[in-house]
Amino acid sequence: EPEVTQTPSHQVTQMGQEVILRCVPISNHLYFYWYRQILGQKVEFLVSFYNNEISEKSEIFDDQFSVERPDGSNFTLKIRSTKLEDSAMYFCASSERAGGRTDTQYFGPGTRLTVL
Amino acid sequence: AQSVTQLGSHVSVSEGALVLLRCNYSSSVPPYLFWYVQYPNQGLQLLLKYTSAATLVKGINGFEAEFKKSETSFHLTKPSAHMSDAAEYFCAVSEGQAGTALIFGKGTTLSVSS
């Protein structure tokens, strides 16, 4: 069964460094998402992406964050200058249709980011 | 803005017992609601979703949920728990102008004892 994959599974970085989290969505999916979950807190929406542009973003997704689909298979989340509070599990997701409130989002296993 | 509240961060049941995980929503528009499950070291997997077609929704692994507008609830149930049901369960509602953002509850950890 097709699935969303994410690399790396765990990334450790120093405060102020740039990190890129990578995701490979399901191949025929059109919509891509990033979420994060700080330890002990809710899963929070960051951004959705369709047709090579951001569709929606939350207040969390400030200028420190960016997303890109550099080729036909990868979808990346970049954090330019990491802060301690960026430490979290980051989930990538994708959905088949062109957005919509009832679409099923398929999630990857997550990347645990630890900022020291 | 839409939101969901999951009552009980941890629920413990015996194998074979009824599972009831509670979710209440707040929404100014007709909500679309989801239940996801997360097993250790895995991503979130959709159990079921409510899209206004039917108020009783059946999902995978024997789970079902009933949408009750009068109670603003979407509780998840399973008649008989199995050890393999032990996981974390998340209720979510879709939000945003394009409806692409899922707003999650805090999650409920289900433990099943033999």
Side-chain angles (χ1 to χ4, degrees):
Chain A
E1 184 177 326
E3 56 184 24
V4 176
T5 59
Q6 292 185 242
T7 54
S9 57
H10 192 181
Q11 173 129 19
V12 180
T13 189
Q14 296 291 324
M15 191 168 55
Q17 295 296 304
E18 174 184 286
V19 295
I20 296 176
L21 309 182
R22 303 181 190 280
C23 167
V24 178
I26 295 173
S27 63
N28 64 334
H29 284 191
L30 300 176
Y31 238 98
F32 315 114
Y33 314 81
W34 283 102
Y35 291 80
R36 78 173 186 190
Q37 185 180 29
I38 296 171
L39 191 64
Q41 298 187 24
K42 296 182 181 185
V43 176
E44 301 172 291
F45 170 77
L46 293 178
V47 66
S48 58
F49 189 86
Y50 170 69
N51 201 24
N52 281 320
E53 50 183 45
I54 290 173
S55 178
E56 292 183 293
K57 61 181 182 178
S58 71
E59 291 177 354
I60 302 168
F61 194 87
D62 60 21
D63 292 343
Q64 292 296 312
F65 292 90
S66 62
V67 289
E68 189 180 27
R69 187 152 165 84
D71 53 43
S73 59
N74 289 284
F75 179 51
T76 62
L77 174 69
K78 182 192 290 186
I79 309 175
R80 288 190 180 80
S81 178
T82 50
K83 309 185 195 79
L84 294 176
E85 54 264 37
D86 293 327
S87 294
M89 180 73 88
Y90 288 81
F91 294 105
C92 174
S94 67
S95 62
E96 186 175 4
R97 295 195 297 265
R101 297 179 65 203
T102 62
D103 288 353
T104 296
Q105 296 183 25
Y106 295 84
F107 284 76
T111 292
R112 179 160 297 286
L113 176 65
T114 301
V115 182
L116 302 176
Chain B
Q2 278 88 293
S3 66
V4 292
T5 302
Q6 291 183 243
L7 297 175
S9 59
H10 198 161
V11 171
S12 297
V13 299
S14 300
E15 196 171 20
L18 171 71
V19 175
L20 171 60
L21 305 181
R22 299 177 187 274
C23 173
N24 288 89
Y25 68 89
S26 171
S27 176
S28 57
V29 298
Y32 296 108
L33 296 156
F34 305 77
W35 274 101
Y36 279 84
V37 61
Q38 185 180 27
Y39 299 102
N41 300 315
Q42 294 186 29
L44 285 76
Q45 179 185 6
L46 182 71
L47 277 176
L48 49 81
K49 63 181 178 181
Y50 168 72
T51 59
S52 76
T55 56
L56 183 62
V57 182
K58 295 187 185 298
I60 62 171
N61 302 338
F63 284 93
E64 62 181 38
E66 186 172 8
F67 173 73
K68 291 187 177 180
K69 185 177 178 180
S70 60
E71 299 177 8
T72 62
S73 68
F74 189 57
H75 301 332
L76 182 71
T77 60
K78 182 173 180 178
S80 176
H82 192 271
M83 298 291 285
S84 61
D85 294 326
E88 188 153 21
Y89 292 79
F90 295 92
C91 183
V93 63
S94 62
E95 191 185 63
Q97 283 195 326
T100 57
L102 285 178
I103 307 303
F104 284 88
K106 284 192 171 183
T108 298
T109 301
L110 175 67
S111 300
V112 183
S113 58
S114 57

